[in-house]
Amino acid sequence: MRRKRGFSMERKKAMWGWIFVLPSLVFFSAFSFYPIINALIESFYNRNLLSLRPPRFVGWDNYTYLFRSRDFWLSVQNTAIFTVGTFVPLVVLSLMLAVCIMSITRLRRFFQLALYAPAVLSSVVAALIWLLIFDPRGLANQAMNALMGTYGVNYKWLSDTTMLRLSTIIVYFWKYVGYFTVLFVSGIGAIPQTLNEAALIDGANRWQLFWRITFPLLKPTTLLVSVMTMIQCLKTFSTQYLFTTAGAPTRPINVITLSIYNTAIKDYRIGRATAMSILLFLVMFVFTWLQLKVSRTEEVTFM
Amino acid sequence: MSTKKTRSWYLERVSTGAMWLFLILAAALVVVPLVFMFTASAMPARDILRLPYPWIPDGFYWPNYWNGLKGPEDDFIFFRNALNSLIVAGSVAFFTVLLSSVTGYGLAKFKFKGRNLVFMLIMATMMIPFEAIMIPLYMVAMRMGLQDTYAGLILPFLANAFGVFLMRQYLITFPDEILDAARIDGAGELRIFGSIVLPSSGPAVATLAILAFRSQWDSLLWPLLVVQSDEMKTIPLYITRYMAETHSDEGIMMAVAVLASLPMIILFLTLSKYFVSKEGLTSATKG
């Protein structure tokens, strides 16, 4: 009798487990699993958004088209330039800022908040502000003229190929530098204080303290932040979209997401756009897998 | 010995000074564009692009804000668009918390066949970036007739793998004795969840809710795809309307930027501890 009751309790609990899990599964199926499978299938068809004819199976055509297309490789190149140009200075400078914040004794919270402030704004607002700063009569030219000792020179922030790429990098850097600084600060904060004290007693100076203790212990955090930033940068869209909407030339900053968007929405070529999406997915899959792996090892190191 | 000590003492002073200088310079550079936004929003356009930039506004120029609210077609659609943003971000935050905590609870506290498989499947969706599935998702939304509707803006974001993960980790340490005691007292499973489990997951819920709200308030790409009419636009789309116009007034643009940022600034000033909590930071990339 008692045994039977225990058995049914177990079954009841199992049933409730499924009931609690089921709603999420429905949503994940509809909005994650189905679209990614659908994307794989669509990438082998030549669907046109406006055409009434049923899509035709074209095999690898979309992919071979992309690999031969110069525009596609340009967007890959643009994304690579943006990613490397953003994530290297972002990681290096936010690490430096975090170390400085943790080395001073006063105003720590103030500096963190000041640096973090832009992350509170939406990316659309960030792009809007910088669009005015990069205006030929704007602050960026004034600052550059003052710095370089020139007068009235237009540095073409929004029209020259290199400068335009630099401009998008600056916007992104500005928005996220504080965010990653705070992340590093919490990483440094997790280092046991006794280690630093012991090293100081042994006569280590700050330089040695950083390179022998802080940095080696921060390696997992640095790795995690680097992969996270790379993933973020690969997905960049807003700044580039808004700058081109406001009239900046598209080609130099036509990153992969912008290219997917335009191929699907302006050219109506769904098949080609999904093939690009699948390629982006494969690249990001590798990075995300790396991130999960890295974050797991980080847990082990710090706990 | 003593000379060595003074030398290192000087070195210490110099390096501390350099760090302060570096921090002050960096903080100033980061804050300058924000100061620009606020000051320019209070100036007539002819002052904003004057050389050199006049940092202190000559009184507060209200027409920027008035015109920013009035919108490009004088129909005050800003309020409707702001309401849309609130509805979308608010419902995504609410339902994400609900779904994630229910699922996280189920995975943390109930044994059933296939539980690990379900958990792995959900975690696997973290590897699918939104940007990679947006076009197929858009086709799904079109087929379901979700274009230009609130449902179209909200539904795709309710299932949140990070949210499930966060809630599961949080609830896995919840004492089983309390749950069993409630069961013996005759409470139903739904009641146990609603009146015992959920109320005691405050911090995780707050972190997740703010995360979801922020990522929707900021969202541009999906609304660009789904929304067609001006009535259904969200705040980011309202701003892009201004950017697409070649001769928009710079003062109005900055006033709109300030108006769009106010809710986030207020939220940040009141709840900053949830903004910079470590879970929030590591996961914001998922949004």
Side-chain angles (χ1 to χ4, degrees), chain A residues 85-101:
Chain A
T86 310
F87 112 87
V88 176
L90 203 50
V91 171
V92 171
L93 276 166
S94 52
L95 178 58
M96 277 169 69
L97 286 166
V99 169
C100 287
I101 286 175

Side-chain angles (χ1 to χ4, degrees), chain A residues 20 24 119 122-123 174 179 242 277, chain B residues 30 102-103 132 214 218 240 281:
Chain A
F20 282 140
S24 271
S122 66
S123 39
W174 174 73
Y179 172 95
L242 293 162
S277 309
Chain B
V30 166
V102 165
T103 310
R214 280 181 78 189
D218 199 5
T240 49
L281 280 170

Side-chain angles (χ1 to χ4, degrees), chain A residues 261-280:
Chain A
Y261 176 82
N262 283 332
T263 308
I265 301 305
K266 296 220 171 103
D267 303 342
Y268 310 119
R269 296 195 177 274
I270 297 295
R272 207 172 277 169
T274 37
M276 270 196 240
S277 309
I278 292 290
L279 294 175
L280 175 69

Side-chain angles (χ1 to χ4, degrees), chain A residues 13 18 20-21 24 34 39 47 116 119 122-123 137 142 174 179 206 235 237 241-242 264-265 277 281 284, chain B residues 12 16 30 49 51 53 102-103 110 113 118 127 129 131-132 136 139 143 214 218 221 224 240 281 284-285:
Chain A
K13 273 188 87 172
W18 274 109
F20 282 140
V21 166
S24 271
Y34 176 68
R47 184 189 289 278
Y116 186 84
S122 66
S123 39
R137 290 166 294 167
Q142 291 177 36
W174 174 73
Y179 172 95
R206 278 209 182 139
K235 305 199 290 191
F237 173 79
Y241 174 79
L242 293 162
I265 301 305
S277 309
F281 165 67
M284 292 189 47
Chain B
E12 188 79 10
T16 308
V30 166
L49 296 177
L51 295 171
Y53 179 71
V102 165
T103 310
F110 293 85
K113 233 188 197 159
V118 170
M127 304 220 182
E131 286 72 8
M139 307 293 286
R143 238 169 279 152
R214 280 181 78 189
D218 199 5
L221 190 45
L224 266 178
T240 49
L281 280 170
T285 43

Side-chain angles (χ1 to χ4, degrees), chain A residues 121-132:
Chain A
L121 304 184
S122 66
S123 39
V124 180
V125 169
L128 189 60
I129 296 171
W130 283 94
L131 208 59
L132 294 194

Side-chain angles (χ1 to χ4, degrees), chain A residues 58-115:
Chain A
V58 292
W60 293 94
D61 276 11
N62 286 324
Y63 291 97
T64 49
Y65 173 87
L66 287 178
F67 286 124
R68 286 200 199 116
S69 152
R70 289 181 65 180
D71 286 339
F72 173 71
W73 286 111
L74 182 68
S75 71
V76 170
Q77 193 195 336
N78 285 335
T79 311
I81 291 173
F82 178 82
T83 304
V84 175
T86 310
F87 112 87
V88 176
L90 203 50
V91 171
V92 171
L93 276 166
S94 52
L95 178 58
M96 277 169 69
L97 286 166
V99 169
C100 287
I101 286 175
M102 292 308 268
S103 310
I104 61 173
T105 42
R106 271 167 299 160
L107 293 179
R108 274 186 184 175
R109 184 143 180 86
F110 166 79
F111 280 117
Q112 283 192 64
L113 281 181
L115 292 169

